[in-house]
Amino acid sequence: MGKIIAITQLSIDGVMQAPGGPEEDPSSDFKHGGWFMHYGDDMLHETISEIISGEFEMLLGRRTYDIFASYWPLHDDDPIGKAFNKAKKYIATRTLDHLDWNNAQILRDVVEEVGRLRASEGPEIHIWGSSNLLQTLISAGLIDEHRLWIAPVVLGGGKRLFENGIPAGSLSLVDTKVTSTGMIINTYRPAGALPGEGA
């Protein structure tokens, strides 16, 4: 089974917008781009190295694809770039007809096609960022694991991982670590209905 794993950089108040840089996603007048970059340490680097060391595929929304495809193909000498460039990539888009990044293919009917990928034999499929795509996949019950990298910062607004309208449900904490910079690295898996609301 191609387990779908969402890897999300998150603030304490649940915002995931533009963790990497000021120009990454300034939509809705978001002014805090790059907020996550101050919290890296050896533990985070080890976590990333572990993620990219195995076989995996990637699933990205259109905006995240644009950001990644303009950067990582030029950085194949970086271990992350080398792993990302090698991986097979699925891009959810209604507008693009051609992808410049190698080994990438377009998904049109995201729920149907991700469901098919998830049911097939294959490596883990990692979603990085892609907030709009995540809303669709969470609502459809297609996320098998959330890896949340929660930085000790409050942003006060922006795109959230769990927006209003996401179905209620429980998560099971399967792993947790605290970094030297105060970041919490938590791994959760969906665990059914809310306590007291299950059948």
mmCIF file with all atom_site columns, all heavy atoms in Angstrom, residues 157-177:
data_model
loop_
_atom_site.group_PDB
_atom_site.id
_atom_site.type_symbol
_atom_site.label_atom_id
_atom_site.label_alt_id
_atom_site.label_comp_id
_atom_site.label_asym_id
_atom_site.label_entity_id
_atom_site.label_seq_id
_atom_site.pdbx_PDB_ins_code
_atom_site.Cartn_x
_atom_site.Cartn_y
_atom_site.Cartn_z
_atom_site.occupancy
_atom_site.B_iso_or_equiv
_atom_site.pdbx_formal_charge
_atom_site.auth_seq_id
_atom_site.auth_comp_id
_atom_site.auth_asym_id
_atom_site.auth_atom_id
_atom_site.pdbx_PDB_model_num
ATOM 1   N N   . GLY A 1 157 ? -2.566  34.266 12.047 1.00 0.00 ? 157 GLY A N   1
ATOM 2   C CA  . GLY A 1 157 ? -3.404  34.147 10.857 1.00 0.00 ? 157 GLY A CA  1
ATOM 3   C C   . GLY A 1 157 ? -2.609  33.567 9.711  1.00 0.00 ? 157 GLY A C   1
ATOM 4   O O   . GLY A 1 157 ? -1.378  33.577 9.726  1.00 0.00 ? 157 GLY A O   1
ATOM 5   N N   . GLY A 1 158 ? -3.312  33.049 8.726  1.00 0.00 ? 158 GLY A N   1
ATOM 6   C CA  . GLY A 1 158 ? -2.682  32.426 7.575  1.00 0.00 ? 158 GLY A CA  1
ATOM 7   C C   . GLY A 1 158 ? -3.348  31.105 7.272  1.00 0.00 ? 158 GLY A C   1
ATOM 8   O O   . GLY A 1 158 ? -4.292  30.694 7.940  1.00 0.00 ? 158 GLY A O   1
ATOM 9   N N   . LYS A 1 159 ? -2.861  30.437 6.231  1.00 0.00 ? 159 LYS A N   1
ATOM 10  C CA  . LYS A 1 159 ? -3.428  29.144 5.846  1.00 0.00 ? 159 LYS A CA  1
ATOM 11  C C   . LYS A 1 159 ? -3.131  28.103 6.926  1.00 0.00 ? 159 LYS A C   1
ATOM 12  O O   . LYS A 1 159 ? -2.005  28.006 7.405  1.00 0.00 ? 159 LYS A O   1
ATOM 13  C CB  . LYS A 1 159 ? -2.845  28.694 4.512  1.00 0.00 ? 159 LYS A CB  1
ATOM 14  C CG  . LYS A 1 159 ? -3.225  29.599 3.355  1.00 0.00 ? 159 LYS A CG  1
ATOM 15  C CD  . LYS A 1 159 ? -2.570  29.142 2.063  1.00 0.00 ? 159 LYS A CD  1
ATOM 16  C CE  . LYS A 1 159 ? -2.928  30.071 0.920  1.00 0.00 ? 159 LYS A CE  1
ATOM 17  N NZ  . LYS A 1 159 ? -2.252  29.683 -0.344 1.00 0.00 ? 159 LYS A NZ  1
ATOM 18  N N   . ARG A 1 160 ? -4.152  27.347 7.269  1.00 0.00 ? 160 ARG A N   1
ATOM 19  C CA  . ARG A 1 160 ? -4.024  26.366 8.347  1.00 0.00 ? 160 ARG A CA  1
ATOM 20  C C   . ARG A 1 160 ? -4.076  24.943 7.807  1.00 0.00 ? 160 ARG A C   1
ATOM 21  O O   . ARG A 1 160 ? -4.672  24.684 6.765  1.00 0.00 ? 160 ARG A O   1
ATOM 22  C CB  . ARG A 1 160 ? -5.128  26.581 9.385  1.00 0.00 ? 160 ARG A CB  1
ATOM 23  C CG  . ARG A 1 160 ? -5.078  27.953 10.015 1.00 0.00 ? 160 ARG A CG  1
ATOM 24  C CD  . ARG A 1 160 ? -6.202  28.184 11.033 1.00 0.00 ? 160 ARG A CD  1
ATOM 25  N NE  . ARG A 1 160 ? -6.163  29.551 11.513 1.00 0.00 ? 160 ARG A NE  1
ATOM 26  C CZ  . ARG A 1 160 ? -5.395  29.993 12.497 1.00 0.00 ? 160 ARG A CZ  1
ATOM 27  N NH1 . ARG A 1 160 ? -4.599  29.148 13.126 1.00 0.00 ? 160 ARG A NH1 1
ATOM 28  N NH2 . ARG A 1 160 ? -5.412  31.254 12.852 1.00 0.00 ? 160 ARG A NH2 1
ATOM 29  N N   . LEU A 1 161 ? -3.472  24.042 8.540  1.00 0.00 ? 161 LEU A N   1
ATOM 30  C CA  . LEU A 1 161 ? -3.530  22.638 8.166  1.00 0.00 ? 161 LEU A CA  1
ATOM 31  C C   . LEU A 1 161 ? -4.955  22.113 8.275  1.00 0.00 ? 161 LEU A C   1
ATOM 32  O O   . LEU A 1 161 ? -5.449  21.437 7.374  1.00 0.00 ? 161 LEU A O   1
ATOM 33  C CB  . LEU A 1 161 ? -2.588  21.817 9.059  1.00 0.00 ? 161 LEU A CB  1
ATOM 34  C CG  . LEU A 1 161 ? -2.669  20.300 8.910  1.00 0.00 ? 161 LEU A CG  1
ATOM 35  C CD1 . LEU A 1 161 ? -2.369  19.870 7.480  1.00 0.00 ? 161 LEU A CD1 1
ATOM 36  C CD2 . LEU A 1 161 ? -1.727  19.618 9.884  1.00 0.00 ? 161 LEU A CD2 1
ATOM 37  N N   . PHE A 1 162 ? -5.623  22.415 9.376  1.00 0.00 ? 162 PHE A N   1
ATOM 38  C CA  . PHE A 1 162 ? -6.996  21.954 9.583  1.00 0.00 ? 162 PHE A CA  1
ATOM 39  C C   . PHE A 1 162 ? -7.916  23.174 9.544  1.00 0.00 ? 162 PHE A C   1
ATOM 40  O O   . PHE A 1 162 ? -8.155  23.819 10.560 1.00 0.00 ? 162 PHE A O   1
ATOM 41  C CB  . PHE A 1 162 ? -7.124  21.220 10.916 1.00 0.00 ? 162 PHE A CB  1
ATOM 42  C CG  . PHE A 1 162 ? -6.250  19.986 11.013 1.00 0.00 ? 162 PHE A CG  1
ATOM 43  C CD1 . PHE A 1 162 ? -5.128  19.978 11.819 1.00 0.00 ? 162 PHE A CD1 1
ATOM 44  C CD2 . PHE A 1 162 ? -6.542  18.845 10.279 1.00 0.00 ? 162 PHE A CD2 1
ATOM 45  C CE1 . PHE A 1 162 ? -4.307  18.854 11.916 1.00 0.00 ? 162 PHE A CE1 1
ATOM 46  C CE2 . PHE A 1 162 ? -5.742  17.714 10.358 1.00 0.00 ? 162 PHE A CE2 1
ATOM 47  C CZ  . PHE A 1 162 ? -4.617  17.717 11.179 1.00 0.00 ? 162 PHE A CZ  1
ATOM 48  N N   . GLU A 1 163 ? -8.410  23.494 8.358  1.00 0.00 ? 163 GLU A N   1
ATOM 49  C CA  . GLU A 1 163 ? -9.294  24.638 8.193  1.00 0.00 ? 163 GLU A CA  1
ATOM 50  C C   . GLU A 1 163 ? -10.709 24.290 8.658  1.00 0.00 ? 163 GLU A C   1
ATOM 51  O O   . GLU A 1 163 ? -11.060 23.111 8.822  1.00 0.00 ? 163 GLU A O   1
ATOM 52  C CB  . GLU A 1 163 ? -9.330  25.078 6.726  1.00 0.00 ? 163 GLU A CB  1
ATOM 53  C CG  . GLU A 1 163 ? -8.022  25.646 6.197  1.00 0.00 ? 163 GLU A CG  1
ATOM 54  C CD  . GLU A 1 163 ? -7.749  27.074 6.657  1.00 0.00 ? 163 GLU A CD  1
ATOM 55  O OE1 . GLU A 1 163 ? -8.497  27.589 7.513  1.00 0.00 ? 163 GLU A OE1 1
ATOM 56  O OE2 . GLU A 1 163 ? -6.775  27.672 6.149  1.00 0.00 ? 163 GLU A OE2 1
ATOM 57  N N   . ASN A 1 164 ? -11.547 25.311 8.857  1.00 0.00 ? 164 ASN A N   1
ATOM 58  C CA  . ASN A 1 164 ? -12.944 25.083 9.178  1.00 0.00 ? 164 ASN A CA  1
ATOM 59  C C   . ASN A 1 164 ? -13.581 24.217 8.096  1.00 0.00 ? 164 ASN A C   1
ATOM 60  O O   . ASN A 1 164 ? -13.334 24.407 6.903  1.00 0.00 ? 164 ASN A O   1
ATOM 61  C CB  . ASN A 1 164 ? -13.700 26.406 9.273  1.00 0.00 ? 164 ASN A CB  1
ATOM 62  C CG  . ASN A 1 164 ? -13.311 27.214 10.494 1.00 0.00 ? 164 ASN A CG  1
ATOM 63  O OD1 . ASN A 1 164 ? -12.776 26.679 11.465 1.00 0.00 ? 164 ASN A OD1 1
ATOM 64  N ND2 . ASN A 1 164 ? -13.565 28.505 10.460 1.00 0.00 ? 164 ASN A ND2 1
ATOM 65  N N   . GLY A 1 165 ? -14.395 23.252 8.532  1.00 0.00 ? 165 GLY A N   1
ATOM 66  C CA  . GLY A 1 165 ? -15.057 22.360 7.590  1.00 0.00 ? 165 GLY A CA  1
ATOM 67  C C   . GLY A 1 165 ? -14.416 20.994 7.471  1.00 0.00 ? 165 GLY A C   1
ATOM 68  O O   . GLY A 1 165 ? -15.016 20.068 6.904  1.00 0.00 ? 165 GLY A O   1
ATOM 69  N N   . ILE A 1 166 ? -13.198 20.842 7.996  1.00 0.00 ? 166 ILE A N   1
ATOM 70  C CA  . ILE A 1 166 ? -12.571 19.521 8.011  1.00 0.00 ? 166 ILE A CA  1
ATOM 71  C C   . ILE A 1 166 ? -13.385 18.610 8.935  1.00 0.00 ? 166 ILE A C   1
ATOM 72  O O   . ILE A 1 166 ? -13.784 19.017 10.021 1.00 0.00 ? 166 ILE A O   1
ATOM 73  C CB  . ILE A 1 166 ? -11.105 19.631 8.515  1.00 0.00 ? 166 ILE A CB  1
ATOM 74  C CG1 . ILE A 1 166 ? -10.233 20.328 7.474  1.00 0.00 ? 166 ILE A CG1 1
ATOM 75  C CG2 . ILE A 1 166 ? -10.522 18.265 8.857  1.00 0.00 ? 166 ILE A CG2 1
ATOM 76  C CD1 . ILE A 1 166 ? -10.067 19.568 6.189  1.00 0.00 ? 166 ILE A CD1 1
ATOM 77  N N   . PRO A 1 167 ? -13.638 17.360 8.544  1.00 0.00 ? 167 PRO A N   1
ATOM 78  C CA  . PRO A 1 167 ? -14.418 16.464 9.402  1.00 0.00 ? 167 PRO A CA  1
ATOM 79  C C   . PRO A 1 167 ? -13.741 16.250 10.763 1.00 0.00 ? 167 PRO A C   1
ATOM 80  O O   . PRO A 1 167 ? -12.519 16.148 10.850 1.00 0.00 ? 167 PRO A O   1
ATOM 81  C CB  . PRO A 1 167 ? -14.451 15.152 8.608  1.00 0.00 ? 167 PRO A CB  1
ATOM 82  C CG  . PRO A 1 167 ? -14.173 15.548 7.193  1.00 0.00 ? 167 PRO A CG  1
ATOM 83  C CD  . PRO A 1 167 ? -13.272 16.734 7.263  1.00 0.00 ? 167 PRO A CD  1
ATOM 84  N N   . ALA A 1 168 ? -14.550 16.201 11.807 1.00 0.00 ? 168 ALA A N   1
ATOM 85  C CA  . ALA A 1 168 ? -14.033 15.917 13.150 1.00 0.00 ? 168 ALA A CA  1
ATOM 86  C C   . ALA A 1 168 ? -13.534 14.479 13.214 1.00 0.00 ? 168 ALA A C   1
ATOM 87  O O   . ALA A 1 168 ? -14.046 13.594 12.527 1.00 0.00 ? 168 ALA A O   1
ATOM 88  C CB  . ALA A 1 168 ? -15.124 16.148 14.196 1.00 0.00 ? 168 ALA A CB  1
ATOM 89  N N   . GLY A 1 169 ? -12.544 14.240 14.056 1.00 0.00 ? 169 GLY A N   1
ATOM 90  C CA  . GLY A 1 169 ? -12.022 12.887 14.227 1.00 0.00 ? 169 GLY A CA  1
ATOM 91  C C   . GLY A 1 169 ? -10.881 12.884 15.223 1.00 0.00 ? 169 GLY A C   1
ATOM 92  O O   . GLY A 1 169 ? -10.388 13.933 15.635 1.00 0.00 ? 169 GLY A O   1
ATOM 93  N N   . SER A 1 170 ? -10.466 11.691 15.606 1.00 0.00 ? 170 SER A N   1
ATOM 94  C CA  . SER A 1 170 ? -9.374  11.517 16.561 1.00 0.00 ? 170 SER A CA  1
ATOM 95  C C   . SER A 1 170 ? -8.075  11.206 15.833 1.00 0.00 ? 170 SER A C   1
ATOM 96  O O   . SER A 1 170 ? -8.075  10.656 14.733 1.00 0.00 ? 170 SER A O   1
ATOM 97  C CB  . SER A 1 170 ? -9.695  10.366 17.525 1.00 0.00 ? 170 SER A CB  1
ATOM 98  O OG  . SER A 1 170 ? -10.817 10.656 18.314 1.00 0.00 ? 170 SER A OG  1
ATOM 99  N N   . LEU A 1 171 ? -6.971  11.558 16.493 1.00 0.00 ? 171 LEU A N   1
ATOM 100 C CA  . LEU A 1 171 ? -5.647  11.188 16.022 1.00 0.00 ? 171 LEU A CA  1
ATOM 101 C C   . LEU A 1 171 ? -4.931  10.435 17.131 1.00 0.00 ? 171 LEU A C   1
ATOM 102 O O   . LEU A 1 171 ? -5.110  10.743 18.313 1.00 0.00 ? 171 LEU A O   1
ATOM 103 C CB  . LEU A 1 171 ? -4.842  12.427 15.631 1.00 0.00 ? 171 LEU A CB  1
ATOM 104 C CG  . LEU A 1 171 ? -5.362  13.259 14.471 1.00 0.00 ? 171 LEU A CG  1
ATOM 105 C CD1 . LEU A 1 171 ? -4.556  14.550 14.351 1.00 0.00 ? 171 LEU A CD1 1
ATOM 106 C CD2 . LEU A 1 171 ? -5.300  12.485 13.160 1.00 0.00 ? 171 LEU A CD2 1
ATOM 107 N N   . SER A 1 172 ? -4.121  9.475  16.743 1.00 0.00 ? 172 SER A N   1
ATOM 108 C CA  . SER A 1 172 ? -3.311  8.727  17.699 1.00 0.00 ? 172 SER A CA  1
ATOM 109 C C   . SER A 1 172 ? -1.860  9.175  17.586 1.00 0.00 ? 172 SER A C   1
ATOM 110 O O   . SER A 1 172 ? -1.289  9.166  16.488 1.00 0.00 ? 172 SER A O   1
ATOM 111 C CB  . SER A 1 172 ? -3.421  7.227  17.408 1.00 0.00 ? 172 SER A CB  1
ATOM 112 O OG  . SER A 1 172 ? -2.561  6.484  18.249 1.00 0.00 ? 172 SER A OG  1
ATOM 113 N N   . LEU A 1 173 ? -1.267  9.596  18.703 1.00 0.00 ? 173 LEU A N   1
ATOM 114 C CA  . LEU A 1 173 ? 0.140   10.015 18.723 1.00 0.00 ? 173 LEU A CA  1
ATOM 115 C C   . LEU A 1 173 ? 1.016   8.769  18.758 1.00 0.00 ? 173 LEU A C   1
ATOM 116 O O   . LEU A 1 173 ? 0.935   7.967  19.685 1.00 0.00 ? 173 LEU A O   1
ATOM 117 C CB  . LEU A 1 173 ? 0.404   10.885 19.947 1.00 0.00 ? 173 LEU A CB  1
ATOM 118 C CG  . LEU A 1 173 ? 1.843   11.386 20.128 1.00 0.00 ? 173 LEU A CG  1
ATOM 119 C CD1 . LEU A 1 173 ? 2.235   12.351 19.022 1.00 0.00 ? 173 LEU A CD1 1
ATOM 120 C CD2 . LEU A 1 173 ? 1.999   12.062 21.494 1.00 0.00 ? 173 LEU A CD2 1
ATOM 121 N N   . VAL A 1 174 ? 1.863   8.614  17.740 1.00 0.00 ? 174 VAL A N   1
ATOM 122 C CA  . VAL A 1 174 ? 2.703   7.416  17.662 1.00 0.00 ? 174 VAL A CA  1
ATOM 123 C C   . VAL A 1 174 ? 4.184   7.709  17.886 1.00 0.00 ? 174 VAL A C   1
ATOM 124 O O   . VAL A 1 174 ? 4.972   6.794  18.106 1.00 0.00 ? 174 VAL A O   1
ATOM 125 C CB  . VAL A 1 174 ? 2.501   6.678  16.320 1.00 0.00 ? 174 VAL A CB  1
ATOM 126 C CG1 . VAL A 1 174 ? 1.072   6.174  16.204 1.00 0.00 ? 174 VAL A CG1 1
ATOM 127 C CG2 . VAL A 1 174 ? 2.847   7.562  15.137 1.00 0.00 ? 174 VAL A CG2 1
ATOM 128 N N   . ASP A 1 175 ? 4.560   8.991  17.836 1.00 0.00 ? 175 ASP A N   1
ATOM 129 C CA  . ASP A 1 175 ? 5.950   9.336  18.116 1.00 0.00 ? 175 ASP A CA  1
ATOM 130 C C   . ASP A 1 175 ? 6.034   10.825 18.432 1.00 0.00 ? 175 ASP A C   1
ATOM 131 O O   . ASP A 1 175 ? 5.274   11.621 17.865 1.00 0.00 ? 175 ASP A O   1
ATOM 132 C CB  . ASP A 1 175 ? 6.849   9.018  16.912 1.00 0.00 ? 175 ASP A CB  1
ATOM 133 C CG  . ASP A 1 175 ? 8.328   9.165  17.257 1.00 0.00 ? 175 ASP A CG  1
ATOM 134 O OD1 . ASP A 1 175 ? 8.788   8.505  18.206 1.00 0.00 ? 175 ASP A OD1 1
ATOM 135 O OD2 . ASP A 1 175 ? 9.014   9.958  16.592 1.00 0.00 ? 175 ASP A OD2 1
ATOM 136 N N   . THR A 1 176 ? 6.944   11.196 19.325 1.00 0.00 ? 176 THR A N   1
ATOM 137 C CA  . THR A 1 176 ? 7.137   12.609 19.642 1.00 0.00 ? 176 THR A CA  1
ATOM 138 C C   . THR A 1 176 ? 8.581   12.863 20.051 1.00 0.00 ? 176 THR A C   1
ATOM 139 O O   . THR A 1 176 ? 9.208   12.014 20.703 1.00 0.00 ? 176 THR A O   1
ATOM 140 C CB  . THR A 1 176 ? 6.170   13.077 20.748 1.00 0.00 ? 176 THR A CB  1
ATOM 141 O OG1 . THR A 1 176 ? 6.299   14.486 20.922 1.00 0.00 ? 176 THR A OG1 1
ATOM 142 C CG2 . THR A 1 176 ? 6.430   12.374 22.070 1.00 0.00 ? 176 THR A CG2 1
ATOM 143 N N   . LYS A 1 177 ? 9.099   14.010 19.639 1.00 0.00 ? 177 LYS A N   1
ATOM 144 C CA  . LYS A 1 177 ? 10.440  14.444 20.007 1.00 0.00 ? 177 LYS A CA  1
ATOM 145 C C   . LYS A 1 177 ? 10.410  15.946 20.217 1.00 0.00 ? 177 LYS A C   1
ATOM 146 O O   . LYS A 1 177 ? 9.615   16.651 19.592 1.00 0.00 ? 177 LYS A O   1
ATOM 147 C CB  . LYS A 1 177 ? 11.454  14.122 18.897 1.00 0.00 ? 177 LYS A CB  1
ATOM 148 C CG  . LYS A 1 177 ? 11.581  12.649 18.535 1.00 0.00 ? 177 LYS A CG  1
ATOM 149 C CD  . LYS A 1 177 ? 12.463  12.494 17.303 1.00 0.00 ? 177 LYS A CD  1
ATOM 150 C CE  . LYS A 1 177 ? 12.520  11.039 16.849 1.00 0.00 ? 177 LYS A CE  1
ATOM 151 N NZ  . LYS A 1 177 ? 13.229  10.891 15.554 1.00 0.00 ? 177 LYS A NZ  1
#
